[in-house]
Every structure is written in C-alpha cells, then in structure tokens.
Amino acid sequence: MTTLPMTVLLHEGPIARAYLAALRRHGFRPAALVRMVARRHPVTGRPLGRWLPTLVADLYAERVEACSRHHWPDKLRREHPALWLAVREALERWRSGSAGLLDEMAVPLNDSAHADRVVRVRADGPGDPAVLPALHHMGQPLVLFTGGGIVPPALLEQQFRFLHIHPGLLPHVRGADGLLWSTLLRGRPGATAFFLERRIDMGPVLAAREYSPIRVYTPGDCLDDETLYRALFAWCDPVLRAAALIDLLRDRPGLDPAMRTVPQDPAAGAVYPFMHPLLRRAALRRIFLS
Amino acid sequence: MTRLSKLLAELAHGGPLSAEEARVLDTLAWRISTKRQLPPDTAADSTRDAEDAATWVQAARALLAHAVATDPGDPDARGRALKRLNAALRALDEARARGACRADLTALDDVAASTLELLLRL
C-alpha cells in the first residue's frame, strides 16, 4: 500500500465510497480521513438525534445519513436489478475493474479500514466550524474534497489545497450535470482533477482528459428518465470520478500541494446549469441504449 | 411597454447580437436556468412583469431566436446555443405554469423542438 499524503474530506455517499474503494483497490491509502456526519437530515433538514446521548446520537446520525445518501443506489438496485446489472456490465466494459468497484460501493463505508487516522465530526458541510480544526489536526496540506456542499472562501484561504474531480473536461464543461453536458456536446465523458478556488470550476488544472463513451444497453423494460438520471448519478458519475482520480495518481505519483498545474482560461468554455428534462432526455438516450 | 419587455423585444430579432446584447441574453439565460427568475435589474420597473406569463413567453422567444451555433463544429459554440435553448425551455415551463396563451406556447414548443433537433444533428 502506498500512503498518500492527503486528507480525504467526506460525507458518506456514492462518490466517497467510489474514491475510497478505488484507492484501496489500486494500492493507495490516504494518510487521513475526516468524515463529516450530518447534524441535520440531508433531505428534511431536521436535527438528527438531538435528544439522544452524544455517542448514540452520532451513531444514529451516521446511519440515517448513510441511508439517505444511498437511498437511490439502494432503491434502484432493489427495484431495477436488470438496470443495475446492465450498468455494472457497461462500466466494466468501459473500464476494467468497475464491476468490483460498484460491488464495493454497495457496502456501507467502514472508514477506519481506509486510512490510518480517522476523525469524525458532526458537520453539515465543509463550511461547518467543526471541519477546519479537524483538517488542522490531521496536518495534511492536501485535501481531497469528495463533494457534499460548497467549500467556503474562508476554508480556501487556509493553507490547504483542495483537490476535486469534476465530471467534465475543464475549461470546456463547467457547472452542473457535467456528465450529461459532456455527452451531448462532446460525445464522450470527461473528467478533470483541479484545485478548488473561489470561482466555481475555475481552479488550476492538474489533469484533464476525455474517456471513451459509456454505453449502457438497458433491459427491455421501459425505464423513465428520472430512473435513468438517478442511475447515472448513483453509479456512472462516481465511477468516472474515481477513474480520473486513479489516473491522476498514476500520472503524478508524488502527489503534493505544489504539483504543477495549468491555469484555466476564464473566457474558454461555459458554466452549464442543470439540464431541462427535454435536453436531459436527449443526453440520456446517448448513454442508455435499448 | 416596460423596460424588460422592450429589452426582450429587441433581443428577439434574429440577426447577429452585439457583444453587450449577447452578455445580456446570457445573463438572462443563466438567471432563468438557475433561479427560474428574470433578471431583477431589468424587471425592477414592474414587479408584476417578472410574474407575467407574456413576459416569460417573450423571454423564451428572445432566447430561441439566438439558440444558434455560430460554428457548428465547435462544441463550445454548440454549448452556448444549447444553454440558451435550455433557458428557453425553462421559460416556456414558467409561461405554461402562469397560463400563457396556448397558441404562443404551441408555436414556441415547435421552434424549441426543431432547434434541439438541429443542434443535436450538428
């Protein structure tokens, strides 16, 4: 195992599971892990375990949060097993080892198995006051940000550099629904490893690449766009990001915050919003083929 | 005619846009796509304006008039056109929710569908 000099900042969720499973499967181990456990329910916003003793409240919150963030992957696997198998096969064809990665993503996260040092903090996002001391405590200047909120400017101004994987080729495809916009505009998915800065998806780039198209041959039953969209974000998007992370580590084995980067041209490309259902359908039809 | 309506009517012409017009149109597109709102600075002279179905139809018409890729071979150019189309579709949804004229909606739906087909074929 190669220990990576970085802290992984995560919420339980498909992307975090994909990163940690991929790192483990490729012989990497982050030096530290800061796991944010939500104070409030990710969907309803209600406080989690407010009336329980702290230890029990933390365990309760952790469990509820994991169930909430994995609601769609679990539900889709349960209710659409043929779709799950089709995506699994497609991603394995797309990148060898993805089927095993997806299987591992289906199992609840055992964070202590993935890093030497693990700290859990009750936090609803990276802007929570509990996060900064935890990152300082870990002492790693490089932080892998796995999503789950916006990193606030106050945190970006600290001595840390936040590594993020964006599912789109920067600077061309910034913003939301990156995998769908990439598919529609460029005919293939892309992913970019870059350091976060104040402006969204504008930070200096470590590695940007495009991949072969993902083609999922869906089973005969007629699946609605919402189901396919959920499947895309439950499985395809996290696997794409994990692949880009592993590619970065292969290209840059000496991972450190002072790595050479390429600044982005702010005038190039565009920041894309969430897709309207009509455009989304067109993009989904290019990934999910009957 | 309010300032916003006047602006949208000006933007609805099919000819090339000046840099400033393109900027205004793209701001409009972003605001509609992300917040389902018309820009407050241009709507300030009439709060009802932003809620009015006819204004949303005008916004959709202005966006559709410029959902055209200047260089079809360039994915970024197509992306800019698709972003405007994306916003136009959202504007049509808002107009529909506010009870816009059916004839207007049908006509613009047809334009949106053919624009999408064209942009995807390029």
Side-chain angles (χ1 to χ4, degrees):
Chain A
M1 281 279 176
T2 305
T3 300
L4 300 170
M6 70 176 182
T7 298
V8 179
L9 176 62
L10 66 91
H11 263 305
E12 239 286 36
I15 295 172
R17 284 190 189 179
Y19 283 162
L20 292 177
L23 288 173
R24 193 194 61 72
R25 295 168 73 83
H26 288 86
F28 297 109
R29 187 174 170 83
L33 196 152
V34 172
R35 178 168 175 177
M36 297 178 283
V37 178
R39 294 178 193 271
R40 294 174 177 276
H41 192 285
V43 178
T44 65
R46 285 192 194 143
L48 288 172
R50 194 164 39 160
W51 307 112
L52 297 170
T54 307
L55 188 64
V56 183
D58 289 353
L59 288 172
Y60 172 75
E62 193 182 307
R63 187 72 187 269
V64 171
E65 184 182 28
C67 287
S68 171
R69 294 193 193 274
H70 289 279
H71 171 77
W72 282 105
D74 292 345
K75 184 180 163 76
L76 290 173
R77 212 173 33 251
R78 205 170 48 242
E79 295 182 2
H80 299 284
L83 174 63
W84 153 248
L85 287 174
V87 172
R88 197 173 170 278
E89 277 174 25
L91 289 175
E92 180 63 29
R93 269 196 312 276
W94 179 75
R95 180 137 172 155
S96 175
S98 295
L101 180 65
L102 283 166
D103 292 342
E104 203 167 324
M105 284 165 59
V107 179
L109 190 66
N110 176 10
D111 45 23
S112 54
H114 288 282
D116 296 333
R117 300 173 66 205
V118 178
V119 164
R120 293 177 184 198
V121 293
R122 291 297 296 274
D124 288 323
D128 196 288
V131 172
L132 183 58
L135 291 177
H136 276 301
H137 176 70
M138 292 312 198
Q140 298 292 337
L142 184 64
V143 177
L144 173 63
F145 178 57
T146 65
I150 303 280
V151 178
L155 212 54
L156 292 173
E157 283 160 9
Q158 301 288 324
Q159 74 270 36
F160 306 108
R161 293 206 88 174
F162 288 86
L163 168 64
H164 184 52
I165 309 286
H166 168 72
L169 187 76
L170 294 178
H172 301 285
V173 182
R174 300 188 179 107
D177 279 345
L179 182 47
L180 290 175
W181 284 109
S182 299
T183 301
L184 211 53
L185 295 172
R186 308 182 67 85
R188 56 189 56 231
T192 305
F194 73 107
F195 287 132
L196 292 179
E197 67 162 47
R198 274 171 177 256
R199 294 170 302 167
I200 291 176
D201 296 338
M202 287 281 197
V205 170
L206 287 156
R209 70 180 72 202
E210 291 187 297
Y211 293 89
S212 57
I214 296 172
R215 300 266 188 262
V216 182
Y217 295 97
T218 48
D221 56 338
C222 200
L223 295 165
D224 60 278
D225 291 349
E226 191 61 26
T227 300
L228 298 178
Y229 185 65
R230 298 287 185 184
L232 198 72
F233 285 93
W235 301 315
C236 303
D237 176 275
V239 167
L240 168 68
R241 292 179 197 241
L245 176 63
I246 296 304
D247 289 343
L248 172 72
L249 293 170
R250 282 179 176 156
D251 292 350
R252 309 274 191 108
L255 198 61
D256 76 79
M259 284 183 290
R260 188 176 53 80
T261 56
V262 179
Q264 289 190 51
D265 174 3
V271 183
Y272 291 93
F274 285 106
M275 264 189 187
H276 183 275
L278 208 64
L279 292 187
R280 193 171 73 182
R281 173 171 297 168
L284 287 170
R285 293 293 173 270
R286 292 176 181 211
I287 297 171
F288 295 95
L289 312 169
S290 40
Chain B
M1 188 182 264
T2 64
R3 232 172 84 209
L4 177 60
S5 296
K6 193 162 169 252
L7 175 74
L8 292 173
E10 280 169 12
L11 289 173
H13 71 77
L17 293 171
S18 68
E20 179 56 17
E21 284 176 324
R23 191 193 63 76
V24 169
L25 192 73
D26 288 333
T27 304
L28 178 79
W30 185 252
R31 186 104 192 162
I32 290 173
S33 284
T34 57
K35 296 185 188 297
R36 315 286 189 273
Q37 287 173 359
L38 294 169
D41 54 336
T42 50
D45 50 354
S46 166
T47 45
R48 281 195 59 199
D49 216 13
E51 294 165 13
D52 181 28
T55 312
W56 283 98
V57 168
Q58 270 190 308
R61 191 174 286 127
L63 287 159
L64 283 172
H66 299 285
V68 181
T70 45
D71 176 3
D74 175 9
D76 287 348
R78 282 199 300 132
R80 284 190 288 275
L82 278 167
K83 268 178 76 173
R84 290 173 183 171
L85 175 60
N86 196 62
L89 291 166
R90 298 283 189 201
L92 283 172
D93 289 347
E94 293 295 330
R96 212 180 316 274
R98 286 165 170 77
C101 163
R102 282 183 80 168
D104 283 350
L105 289 173
T106 307
L108 288 173
D109 280 342
D110 289 348
V111 176
S114 55
T115 304
L116 174 61
E117 199 183 320
L118 184 69
L119 286 172
L120 295 184
R121 213 187 309 137
L122 294 172

